[in-house]
Amino acid sequence: MELTEVSVGEVVYSVRMDGPESAHVVVLLPGAGEDGSVFDAVCERLHGSDLRTVVPDTIDGLDVAGLIAVLDGLGLKYVNLVGDREGATLAWEAAARTFGRFKSLVVADGPHPAVAGADCPAVEIPATMVVGGSAARPAADASGRRCYSDFRVVELDGVDSVPRAAAAAFAAEISMRTSMW
Protein backbone atom coordinates (compact mmCIF):
# COMPACT_ATOMS: atom_id res chain seq x y z
CA MET A 1 0.00 0.00 0.00
CA GLU A 2 1.25 3.44 -0.91
CA LEU A 3 0.67 6.15 1.70
CA THR A 4 0.55 9.70 0.42
CA GLU A 5 -0.14 13.00 2.10
CA VAL A 6 -2.09 15.74 0.38
CA SER A 7 -2.38 19.28 1.74
CA VAL A 8 -5.69 21.09 1.52
CA GLY A 9 -5.15 24.54 2.90
CA GLU A 10 -3.62 24.03 6.33
CA VAL A 11 -4.95 20.47 6.68
CA VAL A 12 -2.90 17.47 5.58
CA TYR A 13 -4.81 14.33 4.60
CA SER A 14 -3.20 10.89 4.62
CA VAL A 15 -4.41 8.84 1.70
CA ARG A 16 -3.93 5.13 1.06
CA MET A 17 -3.55 4.04 -2.55
CA ASP A 18 -3.39 0.40 -3.52
CA GLY A 19 -4.26 -2.06 -6.23
CA PRO A 20 -3.14 -2.50 -9.80
CA GLU A 21 -2.33 0.47 -12.00
CA SER A 22 -5.61 0.85 -13.83
CA ALA A 23 -7.70 3.31 -15.75
CA HIS A 24 -10.42 2.57 -13.19
CA VAL A 25 -9.91 4.26 -9.83
CA VAL A 26 -12.32 4.00 -6.92
CA VAL A 27 -12.25 6.67 -4.20
CA LEU A 28 -13.77 5.41 -0.94
CA LEU A 29 -14.89 7.84 1.80
CA PRO A 30 -15.33 6.43 5.33
CA GLY A 31 -17.93 7.62 7.82
CA ALA A 32 -17.19 10.30 10.40
CA GLY A 33 -15.03 9.03 13.21
CA GLU A 34 -13.93 6.00 11.18
CA ASP A 35 -10.62 5.57 9.46
CA GLY A 36 -9.92 4.13 6.03
CA SER A 37 -9.42 0.64 7.45
CA VAL A 38 -13.21 0.22 7.39
CA PHE A 39 -12.73 -0.53 3.67
CA ASP A 40 -9.80 -3.00 3.93
CA ALA A 41 -11.81 -6.10 2.99
CA VAL A 42 -13.69 -4.19 0.28
CA CYS A 43 -10.44 -2.87 -1.24
CA GLU A 44 -8.89 -6.34 -1.27
CA ARG A 45 -11.81 -7.58 -3.36
CA LEU A 46 -11.71 -4.54 -5.66
CA HIS A 47 -8.01 -5.11 -6.36
CA GLY A 48 -8.94 -8.60 -7.56
CA SER A 49 -11.28 -6.91 -10.04
CA ASP A 50 -8.38 -4.85 -11.45
CA LEU A 51 -9.48 -1.67 -9.69
CA ARG A 52 -7.16 0.81 -8.00
CA THR A 53 -8.40 2.17 -4.67
CA VAL A 54 -7.83 5.52 -3.00
CA VAL A 55 -8.94 5.93 0.61
CA PRO A 56 -8.46 9.03 2.78
CA ASP A 57 -7.77 8.01 6.38
CA THR A 58 -10.51 10.39 7.51
CA ILE A 59 -13.14 12.70 6.11
CA ASP A 60 -13.18 14.86 9.23
CA GLY A 61 -13.16 18.47 8.07
CA LEU A 62 -13.40 17.47 4.39
CA ASP A 63 -15.98 19.18 2.18
CA VAL A 64 -16.61 19.03 -1.57
CA ALA A 65 -13.94 21.62 -2.40
CA GLY A 66 -11.47 19.80 -0.15
CA LEU A 67 -12.26 16.45 -1.77
CA ILE A 68 -11.68 17.94 -5.22
CA ALA A 69 -8.41 19.45 -3.97
CA VAL A 70 -7.31 16.01 -2.68
CA LEU A 71 -8.14 14.42 -6.04
CA ASP A 72 -6.30 17.20 -7.88
CA GLY A 73 -3.31 16.74 -5.57
CA LEU A 74 -3.25 13.06 -6.50
CA GLY A 75 -3.65 13.79 -10.21
CA LEU A 76 -7.01 12.00 -10.39
CA LYS A 77 -9.40 13.58 -12.87
CA TYR A 78 -12.23 11.05 -13.46
CA VAL A 79 -13.00 8.49 -10.75
CA ASN A 80 -15.69 6.26 -9.31
CA LEU A 81 -16.92 7.54 -5.95
CA VAL A 82 -17.97 5.48 -2.92
CA GLY A 83 -19.10 6.62 0.51
CA ASP A 84 -20.25 5.11 3.78
CA ARG A 85 -22.62 6.98 6.12
CA GLU A 86 -21.26 10.56 6.42
CA GLY A 87 -18.85 9.69 3.63
CA ALA A 88 -21.96 8.88 1.58
CA THR A 89 -23.32 12.36 2.26
CA LEU A 90 -20.06 13.89 1.06
CA ALA A 91 -20.10 11.61 -1.99
CA TRP A 92 -23.66 12.63 -2.92
CA GLU A 93 -22.74 16.32 -2.53
CA ALA A 94 -19.57 15.96 -4.60
CA ALA A 95 -21.31 14.04 -7.37
CA ALA A 96 -24.18 16.53 -7.46
CA ARG A 97 -22.01 19.65 -7.45
CA THR A 98 -19.07 18.58 -9.63
CA PHE A 99 -20.34 17.62 -13.06
CA GLY A 100 -17.97 15.58 -15.24
CA ARG A 101 -15.61 14.51 -12.44
CA PHE A 102 -17.16 11.21 -11.38
CA LYS A 103 -18.07 8.10 -13.39
CA SER A 104 -20.32 6.43 -10.85
CA LEU A 105 -21.55 6.64 -7.29
CA VAL A 106 -22.05 3.87 -4.72
CA VAL A 107 -23.16 4.76 -1.20
CA ALA A 108 -23.90 2.75 1.93
CA ASP A 109 -26.43 3.83 4.52
CA GLY A 110 -26.50 7.45 3.44
CA PRO A 111 -29.48 8.79 1.48
CA HIS A 112 -29.30 11.77 -0.83
CA PRO A 113 -29.00 14.90 1.39
CA ALA A 114 -32.18 16.42 -0.10
CA VAL A 115 -34.19 13.54 1.39
CA ALA A 116 -33.42 15.02 4.83
CA GLY A 117 -34.19 18.54 3.60
CA ALA A 118 -30.67 19.72 2.71
CA ASP A 119 -30.12 21.88 -0.35
CA CYS A 120 -28.41 19.48 -2.74
CA PRO A 121 -28.98 19.09 -6.49
CA ALA A 122 -29.67 15.76 -8.11
CA VAL A 123 -26.81 13.60 -9.36
CA GLU A 124 -26.51 12.82 -13.06
CA ILE A 125 -24.37 9.68 -12.93
CA PRO A 126 -25.28 6.02 -12.39
CA ALA A 127 -25.73 5.40 -8.66
CA THR A 128 -26.29 2.50 -6.29
CA MET A 129 -27.41 2.78 -2.70
CA VAL A 130 -26.74 -0.16 -0.39
CA VAL A 131 -28.76 -0.22 2.84
CA GLY A 132 -28.26 -2.44 5.86
CA GLY A 133 -31.94 -3.15 6.47
CA SER A 134 -35.53 -2.45 5.57
CA ALA A 135 -35.79 0.56 7.93
CA ALA A 136 -33.55 2.53 5.55
CA ARG A 137 -35.49 1.50 2.44
CA PRO A 138 -37.91 4.49 2.31
CA ALA A 139 -35.01 6.99 2.35
CA ALA A 140 -33.21 4.91 -0.28
CA ASP A 141 -36.28 4.91 -2.53
CA ALA A 142 -36.68 8.67 -2.04
CA SER A 143 -33.04 9.10 -3.06
CA GLY A 144 -33.90 7.62 -6.45
CA ARG A 145 -35.89 10.74 -7.26
CA ARG A 146 -32.63 12.69 -6.87
CA CYS A 147 -30.74 10.62 -9.43
CA TYR A 148 -31.17 11.52 -13.12
CA SER A 149 -29.48 8.36 -14.35
CA ASP A 150 -29.65 4.67 -13.60
CA PHE A 151 -30.39 4.16 -9.89
CA ARG A 152 -30.39 0.92 -7.96
CA VAL A 153 -31.11 0.04 -4.33
CA VAL A 154 -29.61 -3.06 -2.71
CA GLU A 155 -31.10 -4.03 0.63
CA LEU A 156 -29.10 -6.26 2.97
CA ASP A 157 -30.93 -7.53 6.03
CA GLY A 158 -29.53 -6.93 9.50
CA VAL A 159 -26.22 -5.34 8.48
CA ASP A 160 -25.04 -2.60 10.82
CA SER A 161 -21.88 -1.67 8.86
CA VAL A 162 -22.03 -2.46 5.15
CA PRO A 163 -18.25 -2.22 4.51
CA ARG A 164 -17.37 -4.38 7.52
CA ALA A 165 -20.22 -6.90 7.61
CA ALA A 166 -20.97 -7.20 3.89
CA ALA A 167 -17.65 -6.47 2.19
CA ALA A 168 -18.19 -8.98 -0.62
CA ALA A 169 -21.64 -7.64 -1.52
CA PHE A 170 -20.47 -4.03 -1.29
CA ALA A 171 -17.41 -4.73 -3.48
CA ALA A 172 -19.63 -6.48 -6.02
CA GLU A 173 -21.88 -3.42 -6.30
CA ILE A 174 -18.85 -1.14 -6.69
CA SER A 175 -17.36 -3.42 -9.37
CA MET A 176 -20.64 -3.46 -11.29
CA ARG A 177 -20.83 0.36 -11.25
CA THR A 178 -17.25 0.71 -12.55
CA SER A 179 -18.05 -1.38 -15.60
CA MET A 180 -19.24 0.55 -18.61
CA TRP A 181 -21.27 -2.30 -20.07
Side-chain angles (χ1 to χ4, degrees), residues 2-160:
E2 176 186 341
L3 285 174
T4 302
E5 291 187 342
V6 179
S7 296
V8 177
E10 294 183 15
V11 180
V12 177
Y13 287 93
S14 294
V15 180
R16 304 189 225 182
M17 299 186 347
D18 206 356
E21 288 295 329
S22 172
H24 301 286
V25 176
V26 179
V27 175
L28 299 104
L29 304 172
E34 291 186 315
D35 63 25
S37 69
V38 71
F39 293 118
D40 284 353
V42 174
C43 289
E44 184 178 323
R45 286 173 169 78
L46 294 176
H47 301 157
S49 296
D50 201 31
L51 298 170
R52 184 147 180 84
T53 58
V54 175
V55 185
D57 269 344
T58 182
I59 63 159
D60 296 341
L62 196 61
D63 60 7
V64 172
L67 175 60
I68 299 305
V70 168
L71 297 177
D72 287 345
L74 296 170
L76 300 173
K77 299 297 179 203
Y78 195 51
V79 300
N80 300 281
L81 190 57
V82 174
D84 179 39
R85 299 176 188 179
E86 295 83 5
T89 301
L90 177 57
W92 281 111
E93 288 276 350
R97 298 184 186 285
T98 315
F99 185 76
R101 192 66 189 255
F102 303 104
K103 296 178 188 179
S104 68
L105 175 66
V106 179
V107 296
D109 291 327
H112 188 284
V115 171
D119 179 28
C120 182
V123 299
E124 297 184 34
I125 57 174
T128 298
M129 185 169 172
V130 181
V131 295
S134 59
R137 185 65 192 238
D141 291 339
S143 295
R145 292 189 295 276
R146 304 293 184 179
C147 185
Y148 298 162
S149 187
D150 180 56
F151 180 72
R152 176 177 147 83
V153 175
V154 177
E155 184 180 324
L156 306 171
D157 290 327
V159 175
D160 62 342

